[in-house]
Amino acid sequence: MPLPNRWLTACLVRYEGHTLLIDCGEGTQITMRRTGWSFKSIDCICFTHFHGDHIGGLPGMLLTIGNSGRTEPLLLVGPKGLRRIAEGLLMIAPDLPFPIEYHEIESPDEVLSICGVRVLPFRADHRVTCYGYRVELDRLPKFDPERAKEQNIPLPYWKHLQQGETITDGDRTYTPDMVLGSPRKGLIFCYCTDSRPKNTIIEGARDADLFICEGMYGDPEKQKSAKEKKHMTYVEAARIAKEAEVKELWLTHYSPSVVNPSEHLELAQQIFPNTQVCRDRRETTLRFLDE
Amino acid sequence: MPLPNRWLTACLVRYEGHTLLIDCGEGTQITMRRTGWSFKSIDCICFTHFHGDHIGGLPGMLLTIGNSGRTEPLLLVGPKGLRRIAEGLLMIAPDLPFPIEYHEIESPDEVLSICGVRVLPFRADHRVTCYGYRVELDRLPKFDPERAKEQNIPLPYWKHLQQGETITDGDRTYTPDMVLGSPRKGLIFCYCTDSRPKNTIIEGARDADLFICEGMYGDPEKQKSAKEKKHMTYVEAARIAKEAEVKELWLTHYSPSVVNPSEHLELAQQIFPNTQVCRDRRETTLRFLDE
């Protein structure tokens, strides 16, 4: 339920000029305008599930993206039924200047290549079919120019080898391992709402640099409500973060009854110290190690 | 297009515990929460037309009304196609705890009794079928207790006669004119967006105490854009207000290109002096004459 100073939960991931939006409740486009982020570069919107607070802003968002001058296709990803529901909502946005493509998740083992990153949906446990999303960005191994020179590899091939390609030139073959160092850790981001705790979430969040997870209630006395409504408490989210060995946990998607999200935060921090609360428009930049 | 500090246009009319909403764009429910108005008392939502900025907030609004504990039916009024479009949007709000009734306007001569007032839709002139709404509230003639006493009318009948009812008691018949004074002016409110100027709007706004009208552009140089996009300039709205002899004109529904709505206001005021600009959450109370 959108409150005057706490709007509906959504998440925007940007990478090299591409924008991936996860969920789009009522007001998401207004928040985006406040932050100044580009509408035109939204290539994909992933939906966790089809409750109104996660998809109600779709028609307005697409109309605004249309006004931004986008003509390239836009991909919608979500549980089965996505096309039917989106087409219902889009009755009020019939003349978009860009085509919409749909990808309905058939199984939780899918790996999607979107916006230059890998997107891996995983099953959550809510009142309706719901997915969390793991986003992975690889980091290329370090290129060693000294080794390339020693082996007399022509300069024009360096870039291709660095990208992992194999080059054949006459009877000579150049392979990436000739010039690349050992594998380097990439970046992992994980987003999960709405759900009860579930092992699939632990796997989806495994080793994440940032894990954004719902925490409907901070007060442990609300444990019963959380269970009934198929949501989580802060403490439950912190246990997942600990188990998954993530670096940082951000809590979000608070109940309207939670007036001050920082209350009871320390209970979660006792389990997973790097637990933080989200406020509207919170942002961060994830960087490769030592970058 | 919703801007961070200027949201989509909508209008809420309250009368004796009833609430009538006209249009419901994305974010209307958030504004309502800021103003503190009651969701539960919304008995009717009238739509001018089905562009996204006027109806996109419907599913979220109905979900929130549902959360408010309403179980009484809620009436939706709008141009033909209303049910089809609303049912599309309501795919994300499938389990509302109150029934929805639909009234699709068949002709512009309809008079609807809603929320204790008369609602008269009239045709506007936009890119799609669009209606303005005239809202009329009668004022009963003054009751004269001295005349009632002189004619020995029993006290229990006074209230009924005052409400305009005729009472028969044995062989005596009591009629309202026996105790009521001359007719008194009621209240008239008129709301019109989006439209080009049109005679039906003048009739719809005739003698209104308050006329809220779109003014997409203040700058007279935008006259051509207004015409092309089927909107109005401030000056065009002021001409209607003058012609309809309204008491007060509020301009609304500005283009995103209008940074300061007060700019060019004086051009409209030269035509209709009591022209004012709306800002978000502007409100007023209309009162009967001498009340």
Side-chain angles (χ1 to χ4, degrees), chain A residues 13-275:
Chain A
V13 180
R14 295 194 296 170
Y15 173 65
E16 289 199 340
H18 297 285
T19 301
L20 166 74
L21 180 63
I22 307 181
D23 283 346
C24 186
E26 185 171 355
T28 298
Q29 66 159 317
I30 308 178
T31 294
M32 271 195 65
R33 203 170 282 278
R34 263 182 88 167
T35 58
W37 290 326
S38 151
F39 288 96
K40 197 181 173 189
S41 66
I42 297 180
D43 296 312
C44 176
I45 308 177
C46 295
F47 293 99
T48 56
H49 63 300
F50 302 138
H51 279 157
D53 54 329
H54 294 258
I55 193 171
L58 178 64
M61 177 63 83
L62 294 184
L63 285 164
T64 295
I65 294 172
N67 279 329
S68 76
R70 186 179 179 98
T71 53
E72 300 81 13
L74 188 146
L75 176 67
L76 300 184
V77 175
K80 279 187 202 173
L82 172 65
R83 177 189 281 267
R84 191 176 51 90
I85 284 173
E87 286 181 348
L89 290 172
L90 293 182
M91 294 198 64
I92 59 168
D95 300 313
L96 295 171
F98 52 85
I100 293 178
E101 293 168 357
Y102 294 92
H103 180 86
E104 302 195 355
I105 301 164
E106 297 285 327
S107 99
D109 301 321
E110 294 185 16
V111 179
L112 309 171
S113 284
I114 307 171
C115 299
V117 295
R118 268 194 307 279
V119 175
L120 298 92
F122 57 88
R123 278 301 286 266
D125 174 19
H126 196 45
R127 302 192 299 274
V128 295
T129 304
C130 183
Y131 288 91
Y133 291 95
R134 175 184 178 91
V135 177
E136 295 180 345
L137 174 64
D138 287 337
R139 187 181 191 189
L140 292 170
K142 207 166 182 177
F143 182 83
D144 187 339
E146 293 308 317
R147 283 182 65 203
K149 278 183 205 159
E150 281 164 19
Q151 297 169 88
N152 291 318
I153 299 175
L155 198 66
Y157 299 158
W158 289 20
K159 193 178 152 193
H160 296 278
L161 293 168
Q162 190 174 17
Q163 301 292 328
E165 297 169 34
T166 295
I167 303 281
T168 306
D169 178 1
D171 54 357
R172 281 198 69 181
T173 297
Y174 304 103
T175 54
D177 63 285
M178 293 166 74
V179 291
L180 295 182
S182 47
R184 293 191 292 183
K185 192 181 177 311
L187 288 171
I188 298 167
F189 165 68
C190 180
Y191 184 84
C192 184
T193 182
D194 306 353
S195 188
R196 289 290 303 146
K198 190 173 160 78
N199 280 339
T200 50
I201 309 176
I202 300 171
E203 293 320 308
R206 176 74 62 204
D207 294 325
D209 295 273
L210 176 60
F211 173 38
I212 300 184
C213 186
E214 78 137 294
M216 188 79 164
Y217 304 105
D219 187 346
E221 296 205 352
K222 293 279 190 173
Q223 181 62 61
K224 194 163 159 255
S225 290
K227 207 166 173 179
E228 279 166 9
K229 294 178 179 165
K230 291 270 192 179
H231 283 288
M232 274 188 235
T233 62
Y234 289 8
V235 158
E236 289 175 321
R239 282 195 199 115
I240 295 173
K242 184 186 179 187
E243 193 80 21
E245 300 183 88
V246 308
K247 285 203 186 129
E248 191 168 341
L249 166 64
W250 288 9
L251 297 168
T252 187
H253 203 276
Y254 314 114
S255 159
S257 69
V258 173
V259 175
N260 171 17
S262 295
E263 205 183 356
H264 304 292
L265 175 61
E266 71 283 0
L267 292 178
Q269 288 172 334
Q270 281 164 19
I271 293 161
F272 184 78
N274 199 2
T275 304

Side-chain angles (χ1 to χ4, degrees), chain B residues 12-32:
Chain B
L12 196 134
V13 180
R14 295 194 296 170
Y15 173 64
E16 289 198 340
H18 297 285
T19 300
L20 167 73
L21 180 63
I22 308 180
D23 284 345
C24 185
E26 184 172 354
T28 298
Q29 67 159 316
I30 307 178
T31 293
M32 271 195 64

Side-chain angles (χ1 to χ4, degrees), chain B residues 12 23 31 71 98-99 145 180 207 219-220 226 239 249 258 260 281:
Chain B
L12 196 134
D23 284 345
T31 293
T71 53
F98 53 84
L180 295 182
D207 294 326
D219 187 346
R239 283 196 199 114
L249 166 64
V258 173
N260 170 18
R281 300 182 301 285

Side-chain angles (χ1 to χ4, degrees), chain B residues 70-87:
Chain B
R70 185 179 180 98
T71 53
E72 300 82 12
L74 188 145
L75 177 66
L76 300 184
V77 175
K80 279 188 203 173
L82 171 66
R83 178 190 281 266
R84 191 176 51 91
I85 284 173
E87 286 181 349

Side-chain angles (χ1 to χ4, degrees), chain B residues 143-154 158 161 178-179:
Chain B
F143 183 82
D144 186 340
E146 292 308 317
R147 284 181 65 203
K149 278 184 206 160
E150 282 165 19
Q151 296 168 89
N152 291 319
I153 299 174
W158 289 20
L161 293 168
M178 293 167 74
V179 291

